[in-house]
Amino acid sequence: MREQDSRSRIHLRAFCGQVGLILLLCAPTFALDHRPPFLFLFFVHLFFAASALVLVGVALVTRQPVSRTSLCMWDHVFAMLLLMLISSAALRMLVS
């Protein structure tokens, strides 16, 4: 793996912080629901989708270019969409 530049480290730190915050915000659902994983996964899916939508808006408004050498805003969006799809698949497996 190649050495990351300062922009990549900033985006990676922001991404990890955002994922951690989303999981912490969704954690209280375990105390509220009699089917804890269902409500937790629903809110995780919802927050990841909302985050991806906000990030797409920010990337389009600020006209962020796609960088091939370092992590950029679009990689952040792709990762959020991937996490949203994973939580959606887990939710569907739980329901069926």
Side-chain angles (χ1 to χ4, degrees):
M1 187 171 197
R2 67 179 190 273
E3 185 67 27
Q4 295 177 347
D5 62 348
S6 63
R7 279 185 84 171
S8 293
R9 284 192 293 271
I10 289 170
H11 280 288
L12 191 58
R13 199 173 305 133
F15 176 74
C16 291
Q18 190 173 9
V19 169
L21 181 65
I22 287 172
L23 293 177
L24 283 175
L25 287 174
C26 295
T29 60
F30 284 116
L32 298 175
D33 192 19
H34 64 281
R35 298 179 306 175
F38 178 77
L39 192 59
F40 175 76
L41 287 173
F42 174 75
F43 277 114
V44 165
H45 173 75
L46 189 68
F47 279 126
F48 281 144
S51 294
L53 186 63
V54 168
L55 287 170
V56 166
V58 168
L60 289 175
V61 167
T62 59
R63 298 180 194 267
Q64 293 284 326
V66 175
S67 174
R68 297 194 187 281
T69 59
S70 65
L71 294 175
C72 66
M73 182 75 74
W74 293 106
D75 297 319
H76 200 122
V77 169
F78 177 72
M80 280 292 160
L81 288 174
L82 186 63
L83 289 171
M84 182 194 75
L85 289 174
I86 290 170
S87 63
S88 178
L91 194 58
R92 286 192 183 267
M93 285 176 50
L94 192 66
V95 170
S96 61

